[in-house]
Amino acid sequence: MSKASTTEHEQTLNTYQDFEDLWNGNLSKLDVVAESITFYNPSLPEGELHGREAFEAYLRKVRSAFPDWYVVADDLLVGDGIVMKEWTITGTHEGEFKGVPPTGREIEFKGMGKDIIADGKVQEQRLYHNPQGVPEQLGLTED
């Protein structure tokens, strides 16, 4: 691997780590998100949102509902400005979530993601997970 590609690899990995820190509550890392980010998530009403402001608002809602929301990358594959990952998220429902008052229940769910990083910013994030996982764990679905 050439020095240039190693540097690009390290830069991509560092940007990803800042992004994970952002998800884990370090909102000072918001500048790692591109102004024009596209965020795909099957649990969103429209399946996606666009722009840093919309992403920040979504992240703040999630962290308000689950103040201890924590993402762990179980496995990473990094190359050419793309981060593929398997992840686990945990949290405790302590605030309103999609109109549902706090249940105090703990959640844990797994998924996969693809982040596209360029110029030191996350340009796009695609999450893949079962969107019924969290509502089921919160007791919001019928058995």
Side-chain angles (χ1 to χ4, degrees), residues 1 4 18 57 63 72 100 102 106 119 138:
M1 185 178 291
D18 285 346
R63 295 220 44 98
V72 173
V100 176
E106 293 181 4
D119 302 320
L138 294 179

Side-chain angles (χ1 to χ4, degrees), residues 10-19 32 117 120-122:
E10 289 172 354
Q11 187 176 41
T12 299
L13 195 54
N14 288 339
T15 300
Y16 167 75
Q17 185 58 61
D18 285 346
F19 190 53
V32 76
I117 297 171
K121 306 276 186 199
V122 178

Side-chain angles (χ1 to χ4, degrees), residues 70-83:
Y70 196 75
V71 179
V72 173
D74 300 317
D75 201 8
L76 285 178
L77 179 62
V78 180
D80 296 328
I82 296 175
V83 177

Side-chain angles (χ1 to χ4, degrees), residues 50-69:
H50 302 272
R52 184 189 293 168
E53 285 184 20
F55 179 81
E56 179 183 8
Y58 173 79
L59 183 59
R60 286 184 183 277
K61 283 181 189 176
V62 166
R63 295 220 44 98
S64 175
F66 301 90
D68 61 346
W69 180 273

Side-chain angles (χ1 to χ4, degrees), residues 19 22-23 30 32-40 44 48-60 122-125:
F19 190 53
L22 173 64
W23 271 106
L30 189 61
V32 76
V33 175
E35 288 286 341
S36 61
I37 189 172
T38 302
F39 175 62
Y40 299 93
L44 288 170
E48 63 188 73
L49 58 81
H50 302 272
R52 184 189 293 168
E53 285 184 20
F55 179 81
E56 179 183 8
Y58 173 79
L59 183 59
R60 286 184 183 277
V122 178
Q123 307 292 323
E124 179 179 300
Q125 181 175 54

Side-chain angles (χ1 to χ4, degrees), residues 112-133:
M112 297 176 66
K114 176 183 178 185
D115 302 338
I116 298 176
I117 297 171
D119 302 320
K121 306 276 186 199
V122 178
Q123 307 292 323
E124 179 179 300
Q125 181 175 54
R126 291 180 179 267
L127 299 181
Y128 305 93
H129 63 92
N130 175 3
Q132 289 302 311

